[in-house]
């Protein structure tokens, strides 16, 4: 009898344990990233994964909807009282994860940080706020930004995650235990290969997350990422596996779901403009005419992209197709001759010159780099492809320790991206001008485009900017890729955002 009772108790305990494990398993979602975010501090979030993490953990004054249109987040409303005075009204119910209310003092302190002159580690985001004269906390829910001159792009820059005032003026945050945030999730732990987030129980700005936990696995190897997805160890992968796998998934992997939509991104080939070879316009033009974009889009990107002729995608209201460099190897040869790099022996094996092309270890990026290198070899340019892990690659690009590289701008919403990418004042680390391109005429146009408010007047300015950038080629614009995600069929309500963010995870459920 005792044995039967013991056996029943054991069975019931096993069932309860199994149910608890199942509940625990279903109570979190796991996503995989190809690289760790470079920072957990929103003031320093400039790489894509740091900004994706920022969007999940922190609240900002302004947010963007699924199509990339400006909406309020912490801001309930905002009004321009004059061309240089912006009033922002906060949602009174907003709280940090520790329970205290988010006030105008916290907002002021966060944006005051970008005006500090004696910061030990300056932030590249400060370049967006050089026009700010003063930030004023009028009352608990009202903030006034006073600008030195009109800035039509200013509202779209108010996306920095808000920190409590006691942290906002301090050093860069590195310890997740000290992080205080007001977004839908909060940091639980940050490790080299795994970031754990938990639902912010004090989140009241919008719908609270459906799931209690979110796990971000850092899996640098693409094959391993995909294997984890197939095994069910990862639920969602976005934009980080080879496009050829995407084409086969619907046919061969019924347990997986493919999502696709147009994105706000532009891939480019960048040049160090201080380099004695790549600083020559004819060389950059020759490279532009030698790259077969359609071949790479068809065979490597599996058709999930369209050729680019500008930093802006064609559906952008400010887009202008200016200088488009069609495939023309004869023109490339002629341009290299004009640049003084004669073909040493006609069609023989010798090269005109050698250049180094740095890229990441991501399989798709590396395959593209090798394809471009092969294409450039046809015009006598010998390219050494050097794959680097993300941290080393990004550091080399930012420090100018580079000749040629490829990257993508992701999620931009305003043509002021041209100023961040090409203004003389935006040399890294103060901005995104990684190639050290400098043009005083362009600098003036970029500042003018920032100040002019009307759509038609701004478009005239950015038409001229696109013509100038297209002619001088600090970048070769390659393509605009579609956003895509591969999810487990147990995942519901995950939606792709045009800028690649993971904002829909609040609504996502794992069955």
């Amino acid at each position: 009898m005792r044995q039967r009772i013991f056996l029943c108790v054991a069975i019931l305990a096993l069932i309860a344990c199994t149910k608890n494990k199942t509940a625990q398993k279903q109570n979190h979602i796991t996503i995989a990233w190809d690289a760790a975010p470079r920072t957990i501090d929103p003031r320093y979030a400039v790489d894509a994964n740091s900004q994706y993490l920022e969007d999940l953990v922190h609240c900002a004054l302004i947010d963007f909807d699924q199509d990339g249109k400006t909406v309020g987040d912490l801001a309930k409303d905002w009004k321009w009282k004059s061309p240089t005075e912006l009033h922002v009204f906060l949602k009174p119910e907003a709280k940090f994860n520790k329970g205290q209310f988010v006030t105008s003092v916290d907002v002021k302190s966060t944006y005051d940080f970008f005006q500090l002159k004696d910061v030990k580690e300056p932030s590249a985001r400060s370049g967006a706020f050089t026009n700010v004269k003063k930030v004023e906390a009028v009352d608990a829910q009202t903030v006034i930004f006073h600008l030195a001159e009109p800035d039509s792009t200013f509202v779209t820059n108010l996306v920095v995650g808000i920190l409590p005032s006691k942290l906002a003026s301090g050093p860069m945050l590195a310890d997740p235990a000290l992080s205080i945030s007001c977004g839908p999730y909060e940091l639980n732990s940050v490790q080299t290969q795994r970031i754990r987030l938990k639902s912010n129980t004090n989140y009241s700005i919008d719908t609270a997350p459906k799931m209690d936990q979110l796990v971000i696995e850092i899996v640098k190897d693409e094959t391993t990422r995909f294997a984890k997805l197939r095994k069910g160890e990862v639920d969602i992968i976005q934009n980080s596996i080879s496009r050829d796998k995407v084409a086969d998934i619907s046919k061969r992997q019924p347990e997986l779901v493919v999502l696709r939509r147009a994105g706000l991104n532009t891939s480019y080939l960048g040049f160090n403009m201080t380099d004695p070879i790549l600083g020559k316009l004819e060389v950059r033009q020759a490279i532009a005419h030698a790259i077969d974009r359609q071949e790479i889009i068809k065979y490597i990107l599996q058709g999930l992209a369209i050729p680019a002729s500008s930093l802006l995608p064609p559906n952008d209201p400010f887009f202008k197709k200016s200088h488009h460099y069609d495939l023309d190897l004869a023109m490339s040869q002629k341009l290299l001759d004009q640049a003084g790099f004669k073909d040493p022996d006609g069609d023989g094996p010798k090269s005109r010159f050698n250049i180094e092309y740095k890229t990441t270890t991501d399989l798709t990026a590396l395959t593209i780099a090798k394809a471009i290198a092969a294409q450039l070899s046809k015009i006598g340019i010998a390219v050494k492809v050097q794959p680097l892990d993300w941290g080393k690659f990004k550091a080399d690009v930012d420090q100018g320790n580079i000749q040629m590289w490829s990257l993508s701008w992701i999620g931009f919403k305003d043509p002021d991206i041209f100023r961040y990418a090409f203004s003389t004042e935006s040399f890294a680390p103060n901005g995104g001008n990684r190639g050290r391109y400098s043009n005083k005429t362009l600098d003036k146009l970029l500042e003018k485009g920032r100040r002019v408010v009307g759509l038609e007047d701004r478009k005239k300015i950015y038409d001229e900017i696109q013509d100038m950038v297209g002619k001088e080629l600090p970048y070769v614009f390659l393509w605009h890729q579609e956003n895509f995600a591969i999810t487990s069929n147990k995942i519901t309500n995950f939606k792709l955002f045009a800028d690649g963010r993971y904002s829909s995870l609040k609504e996502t459920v794992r069955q």
Side-chain angles (χ1 to χ4, degrees):
M1 183 69 178
R2 290 181 179 178
Q3 289 179 338
R4 289 182 180 178
I5 293 174
F6 177 78
L7 181 61
C8 290
V9 171
I11 291 172
L12 290 172
L14 179 63
I15 293 173
C17 181
T18 302
K19 286 183 178 180
N20 287 337
K21 286 184 177 179
T22 302
Q24 182 180 12
K25 184 177 181 182
Q26 292 180 344
N27 204 33
H28 74 272
I29 294 172
T30 301
I31 63 177
W33 287 355
D34 57 356
R38 299 187 72 193
T39 181
I40 63 171
D41 192 323
R43 298 168 299 173
Y44 293 88
V46 292
D47 62 289
N49 285 351
S50 292
Q51 291 185 350
Y52 295 154
L53 181 65
E54 174 189 23
D55 182 62
L56 293 168
V57 172
H58 297 276
C59 67
L61 291 175
I62 297 298
D63 201 354
F64 302 99
D65 67 13
Q66 195 175 354
D67 297 318
K69 296 179 181 177
T70 304
V71 294
D73 186 22
L74 176 59
K76 180 173 64 175
D77 195 10
W78 59 92
K79 292 181 181 179
W80 287 100
K81 295 295 185 178
S82 78
T84 59
E85 187 176 307
L86 177 67
H87 291 224
V88 181
F89 309 98
L90 310 184
K91 294 176 181 176
E93 67 273 17
K95 289 183 178 180
F96 289 108
N97 61 309
K98 302 300 183 182
Q100 69 268 39
F101 284 99
V102 183
T103 71
S104 59
V105 174
D106 302 308
V107 175
K108 170 180 165 57
S109 298
T110 298
Y111 283 96
D112 277 347
F113 168 80
F114 298 110
Q115 311 302 314
L116 298 177
K117 303 301 181 184
D118 57 348
V119 178
K120 182 179 179 181
E121 297 176 272
S123 168
R125 299 188 88 163
S126 61
F129 306 106
T130 56
N131 192 29
V132 175
K133 287 175 59 179
K134 182 176 68 172
V135 184
E136 185 180 358
V138 179
D139 55 42
Q141 275 84 47
T142 306
V143 182
I144 300 178
F145 290 90
H146 299 272
L147 308 183
E149 52 191 26
D151 183 352
S152 58
T153 72
F154 187 71
V155 170
T156 60
N157 288 326
L158 298 178
V159 293
V160 180
I162 301 302
L163 293 174
S165 57
K166 66 180 182 180
L167 297 178
S169 60
M172 182 189 296
L173 297 172
D175 185 353
L178 300 179
S179 175
I180 300 177
S181 58
C182 51
Y185 296 92
E186 60 180 287
L187 289 172
N188 191 7
S189 66
V190 178
Q191 299 170 321
T192 304
Q193 296 181 322
R194 183 176 294 110
I195 299 172
R196 294 185 181 274
L197 309 181
K198 61 181 180 180
S199 176
N200 176 6
T201 56
N202 285 303
Y203 183 67
S204 56
I205 295 176
D206 199 354
T207 305
K210 303 292 185 184
M211 307 294 283
D212 288 342
Q213 297 183 53
L214 176 61
V215 179
I216 303 170
E217 296 278 356
I218 310 302
V219 187
K220 295 182 179 181
D221 180 71
E222 178 188 318
T223 302
T224 305
R225 279 197 302 275
F226 189 58
K228 284 179 172 286
L229 180 66
R230 292 187 61 186
K231 292 177 182 178
E233 297 174 12
V234 166
D235 300 309
I236 300 170
I237 293 177
Q238 181 173 284
N239 294 332
S240 61
I241 65 169
S242 299
R243 268 63 179 172
D244 58 345
K245 288 186 175 69
V246 178
D248 291 337
I249 284 173
S250 298
K251 300 176 183 177
R252 302 184 183 183
Q253 309 291 334
E255 74 278 10
L256 301 178
V257 178
V258 179
L259 304 175
R260 295 170 55 176
R261 68 163 295 151
L264 301 175
N265 62 76
T266 304
S267 296
Y268 68 89
L269 189 67
F271 305 109
N272 187 335
M273 300 291 282
T274 66
D275 184 82
I277 297 175
L278 296 173
K280 293 179 180 292
L281 175 59
E282 294 90 349
V283 172
R284 300 194 301 275
Q285 290 173 330
I287 290 173
H289 278 300
I291 296 175
D292 190 341
R293 297 167 179 79
Q294 293 289 4
E295 181 182 59
I296 295 174
I297 290 172
K298 181 178 180 180
Y299 293 107
I300 299 178
L301 300 178
Q302 296 296 309
L304 298 175
I306 59 173
S309 61
S310 171
L311 183 55
L312 305 178
N315 59 353
D316 191 287
F318 291 95
F319 169 80
K320 180 187 179 185
K321 183 176 180 179
S322 52
H323 295 269
H324 186 66
Y325 295 85
D326 294 320
L327 182 65
D328 190 338
L329 298 185
M331 176 61 72
S332 293
Q333 301 275 12
K334 181 180 178 181
L335 287 163
L336 290 177
D337 288 342
Q338 291 175 0
F341 298 103
K342 301 293 184 179
D343 193 341
D345 57 353
D347 295 327
K350 293 183 179 180
S351 302
R352 298 171 186 262
F353 55 81
N354 302 319
I355 56 176
E356 187 177 62
Y357 179 169
K358 291 185 179 180
T359 185
T360 68
T361 54
D362 174 82
L363 181 59
T364 300
L366 184 56
T367 303
I368 289 171
K370 290 179 178 179
I372 290 176
Q375 292 173 354
L376 295 185
S377 70
K378 296 178 181 178
I379 59 171
I381 300 177
V383 179
K384 177 186 177 182
V385 176
Q386 184 178 1
L388 301 170
D389 67 79
W390 173 252
K392 172 62 174 170
F393 170 74
K394 186 66 165 55
D396 280 0
V397 172
D398 287 346
Q399 294 165 13
N401 181 26
I402 203 158
Q403 276 187 293
M404 188 168 75
W405 76 96
S406 54
L407 265 175
S408 298
W409 285 108
I410 298 172
F412 52 85
K413 316 297 190 307
D414 191 276
D416 190 53
I417 183 67
F418 280 99
R419 184 178 59 85
Y420 186 73
F422 299 122
S423 170
T424 303
E425 293 183 354
S426 288
F427 281 8
N430 297 319
N433 190 346
R434 297 149 178 157
R436 275 65 176 173
Y437 170 60
S438 182
N439 182 315
K440 292 183 179 180
T441 302
L442 182 68
D443 288 342
K444 292 178 181 178
L445 282 172
L446 293 170
E447 285 302 318
K448 186 177 180 181
R450 185 183 186 184
R451 293 193 300 269
V452 172
V453 176
L455 176 62
E456 292 185 5
D457 291 336
R458 288 192 82 201
K459 182 154 187 358
K460 291 177 182 178
I461 295 169
Y462 284 102
D463 283 352
E464 192 173 349
I465 288 171
Q466 288 172 90
D467 283 339
M468 189 174 297
V469 170
K471 181 179 179 180
E472 297 203 350
L473 276 180
Y475 288 173
V476 171
F477 299 110
L478 298 173
W479 42 72
H480 309 286
Q481 293 188 36
E482 281 190 342
N483 285 331
F484 69 90
I486 314 299
T487 77
S488 161
N489 59 11
K490 296 179 181 180
I491 292 293
T492 57
N493 295 335
F494 180 73
K495 298 177 181 178
L496 287 168
F497 274 55
D499 61 4
R501 288 176 301 124
Y502 292 79
S503 300
S504 68
L505 284 173
K506 290 185 297 184
E507 303 287 340
T508 304
V509 174
R510 187 180 190 276
Q511 303 296 335

